[in-house]
Amino acid sequence: MSDADKPSASPGAREEAPIGLSGEAPVEGPGGPERGEADGPGAPGEATEAPVVHGYRGLPVSAADVALVDRALALAGRCAASGDVPVGAVVVGPDGATWGDGYNRREADGDPCAHAEILALREAAAARGGWRLDGATLAVTLEPCPMCAGALVQARVARVVFGAWDDKAGACGSVWDLVRDRRALHRLEVVGGVREDECVAVLRDFFSARRAPGRG
């Protein structure tokens, strides 16, 4: 999420790996943990009897998680005006109530930390009146980077749900798995690959436009 030249996500070997944001097919290699599997309690993202979509390796994804990523995708669209990488994030409580949301504003604010997840966590903490976001779920369109993954751990978020995997800077199972490191003081449930095709398409279109001849 942090660098404009990062490729889109592609977890380990898959039957049809998406083309990376660089325009090249990502190199496939051995994957990390079984991505998309829950490490913690399922609620509120527990798989329903009739899942709406399937995530990585056909694992079922709940309608609630799909709806959260759809909301994050809508937020990502707000990045167009500033030229920020289109990534959106939303934080909800255990009951599904919205605690905060955000979208990339690094270019808009000149702030290296203004990633969608960080802004959503800040808003959620302000709304809750404290830094602990116990029981919360954060949904984002792109796998969190190390900075954002660390913030999720520090905020005691319970679950992270995301769309596109990031083979270059992902920290929730692609390059690193900081949110499920057994040495950490807190671990999260991870659900990846939700609305992956749609999230990858948004990022790919953004970088394709940036590389278009005559731009700038």
Side-chain angles (χ1 to χ4, degrees), residues 52 61 65 75 80 84 86 96 101 111 126-127 154 174 180 191 214:
V52 176
V61 177
D65 286 344
L75 288 163
D84 276 283
D101 59 36
D111 180 356
Q154 292 298 324
S174 288
R180 292 183 290 191
V191 180

Side-chain angles (χ1 to χ4, degrees), residues 105-140:
R105 291 189 55 86
R106 187 174 63 168
E107 300 296 337
D109 296 345
D111 180 356
C113 297
H115 291 192
E117 300 97 314
I118 298 296
L119 299 181
L121 290 173
R122 287 174 178 167
E123 187 172 285
R128 300 295 295 172
W131 61 269
R132 294 188 68 106
L133 302 179
D134 297 298
T137 293
L138 180 140
V140 61

